[in-house]
Amino acid sequence: MSKCEQCIVRQFSSLKALSKDELLKMADCKTSYTIKKGEPIFEEGEITNGIYCVKDGVCKLSKLSSNGKDQIVKLVKPGELLGQRSMISEEPANLSAVAIEDMEVCFIPKTEIIQFFTQNNQFSMSVMKTICGDLKEADDHMVDLAQKSVKERLAGTLIYLEETFGTDSDGALRLQLSREELAGMIGTATESCIRLLSELKKSGWIDLIGKKIKIVDKNKLRRIAD
Amino acid sequence: MSKCEQCIVRQFSSLKALSKDELLKMADCKTSYTIKKGEPIFEEGEITNGIYCVKDGVCKLSKLSSNGKDQIVKLVKPGELLGQRSMISEEPANLSAVAIEDMEVCFIPKTEIIQFFTQNNQFSMSVMKTICGDLKEADDHMVDLAQKSVKERLAGTLIYLEETFGTDSDGALRLQLSREELAGMIGTATESCIRLLSELKKSGWIDLIGKKIKIVDKNKLRRIAD
DNA sequence: ATTAAAATATGATAATTGTCATACTTTGAA
DNA sequence: TTCAAAGTATGACAATTATCATATTTTAAT
């Protein structure tokens, strides 16, 4: 069993507020999982009874709409926690978490987290701040979905993907999303997404290398995104 | 100065977790305000340094989009708290709060709330749960905005307005929103909103009495909304 | 009570976006 | 390696939604 104390990603989440003793206790009761690309960590409606700490890889949090399409609400990257909301609300998961890349995650049981909440105020304040940050992002995202055009949202999403997950050796977006997933992020039909990507390529603001996307003129994209 | 102990709406918010002593302390440092319909409680970008408890009246939380339209993110009713998110995040307000009806609110300084957080675990857990509830609603709302048509969202919003704020003596929605505000809730142009209301009226599912809206066939609306 | 301003309503039209069909390309399993 | 399946791409068309113009009604200030 690996030690939480030595885990680097801990620094990026609320877990950084835990003491050495608490980390040792956590290392004792945690379970590590390997999740392959495309596999779920948990699904909408499932009772999770704990939270996951993402050690490696990226996953999408999405919800199936009544029209049959999957809307991606958020991408979660290493260092972030997963499933806090439903654990705190004591409800089944509202969203599905599915790996976009191969992942390594650790599961920490609810009983443990609740103990940390009561004994470590810094920890609970940190979790609270994280959730507040999520709420702010959700509100902002909502406004964009309601008021911006698909093209504006696509441009904004491409910039977000580059700034958040970086680029590979070709200078293309490191995070490989399918066109369907990209469409699910911006809230549009897959064909519309593909069509607008072609349009942005024709304009010369992006380049399409196979299914990879490379941002050529970020300023132009920024101007489109507002 | 009125006593928080005797305030009924307290029961509906996290403030119900406070002890008698804490309530007395709060009554001492709170400030009461009367806010007229149309007036702001705080605006986007403002530093608030505390939270508001809504004693009477309803307000909208909205954000100005780059296209110049105001998107309404949430309606806040008596008993609910206002401004917790930015207080906890220690950031300026992300949304504007504007009264939709004449309101009575109490302002409680941040220093006080932070004290309650550290000394009363039930209180901080309750606030955390409320914010988690807000996050869930925001996520769900996001999916609807991204995946549903304007007509579906309008139908859903009308049902929400009836079930949340009730009806007046005519059976019409008690909460009086302008067409522009209703459009701002569902994320569409005012004209589109008006047009669809006319359409729903022609179909006989709703009735328009002046600018009031009355739901005639809720089941039909529900079927439209999904 | 009068009247200007604001809100509501509707038509005409354009722009955006979704849907269906189909072709091409890539991927992965036998 | 081969081939079926999945993913990507594009065209044609329909549906939805926004925009602009204008009329009507309501509201509120004088």
Side-chain angles (χ1 to χ4, degrees):
Chain A
M1 182 176 313
S2 62
K3 291 173 190 162
C4 295
E5 254 190 284
Q6 289 162 8
C7 184
I8 319 159
V9 300
R10 175 172 54 81
Q11 305 299 336
F12 303 118
S13 74
S14 300
L15 300 175
K16 68 177 179 295
L18 297 181
S19 69
K20 282 203 172 180
D21 274 5
E22 288 168 330
L23 286 172
L24 287 173
K25 251 187 90 190
M26 194 169 78
D28 264 357
C29 67
K30 78 162 203 290
T31 324
S32 298
Y33 293 103
T34 299
I35 291 145
K36 291 247 172 71
K37 178 177 176 171
E39 284 177 356
I41 302 171
F42 55 78
E43 307 219 57
E44 206 182 322
E46 220 173 84
I47 291 168
T48 49
N49 261 311
I51 65 174
Y52 295 85
C53 176
V54 178
K55 206 169 161 185
D56 195 35
V58 175
C59 76
K60 57 181 174 183
L61 288 178
S62 68
K63 180 158 186 159
L64 196 63
S65 177
S66 48
N67 65 3
K69 286 185 188 165
D70 228 18
Q71 176 66 26
I72 296 179
V73 166
K74 182 176 159 52
L75 298 179
V76 179
K77 52 183 185 302
E80 289 190 83
L81 302 179
L82 211 56
Q84 322 111 290
R85 203 220 46 93
S86 37
M87 191 200 73
I88 293 168
S89 295
E90 302 183 283
E91 289 170 347
N94 188 40
L95 305 167
S96 296
V98 175
I100 284 180
E101 303 172 320
D102 290 350
M103 297 182 78
E104 281 182 62
V105 302
C106 295
F107 177 80
I108 305 151
K110 177 175 175 171
T111 49
E112 204 68 12
I113 300 290
I114 296 292
Q115 263 198 346
F116 295 154
F117 272 157
T118 52
Q119 62 190 214
N120 186 333
N121 205 267
Q122 260 203 303
F123 175 65
S124 48
M125 276 310 286
S126 177
V127 170
M128 188 132 63
K129 278 192 188 184
T130 305
I131 293 169
C132 283
D134 287 349
L135 180 55
K136 184 189 174 196
E137 274 184 28
D139 286 344
D140 289 352
H141 201 166
M142 234 170 83
V143 176
D144 286 350
L145 284 168
Q147 301 290 350
K148 289 189 176 176
S149 69
V150 175
K151 198 182 193 174
E152 289 169 332
R153 281 180 271 152
L154 173 58
T157 302
L158 293 177
I159 291 172
Y160 162 78
L161 288 172
E162 189 184 90
E163 301 195 332
T164 310
F165 302 102
T167 52
D168 62 14
S169 51
D170 300 334
L173 299 182
R174 195 191 62 73
L175 188 69
Q176 285 269 33
L177 293 174
S178 69
R179 300 293 190 257
E180 191 180 1
E181 285 170 325
L182 186 56
M185 281 194 74
I186 66 184
T188 190
T190 306
E191 297 95 322
S192 299
C193 175
I194 290 172
R195 216 179 294 277
L196 287 171
L197 282 173
S198 301
E199 196 186 303
L200 289 178
K201 183 186 177 178
K202 263 186 210 157
S203 303
W205 316 148
I206 68 171
D207 203 2
L208 301 175
I209 311 158
K211 40 189 67 172
K212 283 190 183 177
I213 301 169
K214 180 175 170 178
I215 294 181
V216 175
D217 193 334
K218 189 138 98 174
N219 283 330
K220 286 274 166 49
L221 278 191
R222 234 192 276 276
R223 217 171 307 157
I224 291 171
D226 272 1
Chain B
M1 184 178 310
S2 62
K3 291 172 189 166
C4 295
E5 254 191 284
Q6 290 162 7
C7 183
I8 320 159
V9 299
R10 175 172 54 83
Q11 305 298 336
F12 304 116
S13 75
S14 300
L15 300 175
K16 67 177 177 294
L18 296 181
S19 69
K20 282 203 172 181
D21 273 5
E22 288 167 329
L23 285 173
L24 286 174
K25 251 187 91 189
M26 194 169 77
D28 264 356
C29 67
K30 77 163 203 289
T31 324
S32 299
Y33 293 104
T34 300
I35 292 144
K36 291 247 170 71
K37 178 177 176 172
E39 284 177 357
I41 302 171
F42 55 77
E43 307 220 56
E44 207 183 323
E46 220 173 85
I47 292 168
T48 49
N49 261 311
I51 65 175
Y52 295 86
C53 175
V54 178
K55 206 169 163 186
D56 195 35
V58 175
C59 76
K60 57 181 174 183
L61 288 178
S62 68
K63 181 159 186 159
L64 195 63
S65 177
S66 47
N67 64 5
K69 285 184 188 165
D70 228 19
Q71 177 66 26
I72 296 179
V73 166
K74 182 175 160 50
L75 298 180
V76 179
K77 51 183 186 303
E80 290 190 84
L81 301 179
L82 211 57
Q84 322 111 291
R85 205 223 41 98
S86 37
M87 191 200 72
I88 293 166
S89 294
E90 303 183 282
E91 289 170 347
N94 187 40
L95 305 167
S96 296
V98 175
I100 285 180
E101 303 171 321
D102 290 350
M103 298 182 78
E104 280 182 62
V105 302
C106 294
F107 177 79
I108 305 150
K110 177 176 176 172
T111 49
E112 204 68 12
I113 300 291
I114 296 292
Q115 263 199 347
F116 296 154
F117 272 156
T118 52
Q119 61 189 214
N120 186 333
N121 205 268
Q122 260 203 302
F123 174 67
S124 49
M125 277 310 286
S126 177
V127 170
M128 188 132 64
K129 278 192 188 182
T130 305
I131 293 170
C132 283
D134 287 349
L135 180 56
K136 184 189 175 200
E137 274 183 29
D139 286 344
D140 289 353
H141 201 167
M142 233 170 83
V143 176
D144 286 350
L145 284 168
Q147 301 289 350
K148 289 189 176 175
S149 69
V150 175
K151 199 181 192 175
E152 289 170 333
R153 282 179 271 151
L154 173 58
T157 302
L158 292 177
I159 291 171
Y160 161 78
L161 289 172
E162 189 184 90
E163 301 194 333
T164 309
F165 303 102
T167 52
D168 62 14
S169 51
D170 300 334
L173 300 182
R174 194 190 64 71
L175 188 69
Q176 285 269 35
L177 292 174
S178 69
R179 300 293 190 256
E180 191 179 2
E181 285 171 325
L182 187 55
M185 282 194 74
I186 66 183
T188 190
T190 307
E191 297 96 321
S192 299
C193 174
I194 290 172
R195 217 179 293 278
L196 287 170
L197 282 173
S198 301
E199 196 185 301
L200 289 178
K201 183 186 178 178
K202 262 187 209 155
S203 303
W205 316 147
I206 68 171
D207 203 3
L208 301 176
I209 310 158
K211 41 189 66 172
K212 284 190 183 179
I213 301 169
K214 180 176 171 177
I215 294 181
V216 175
D217 193 334
K218 189 138 98 173
N219 283 330
K220 286 274 166 48
L221 278 191
R222 235 192 276 276
R223 217 171 306 156
I224 291 171
D226 271 2

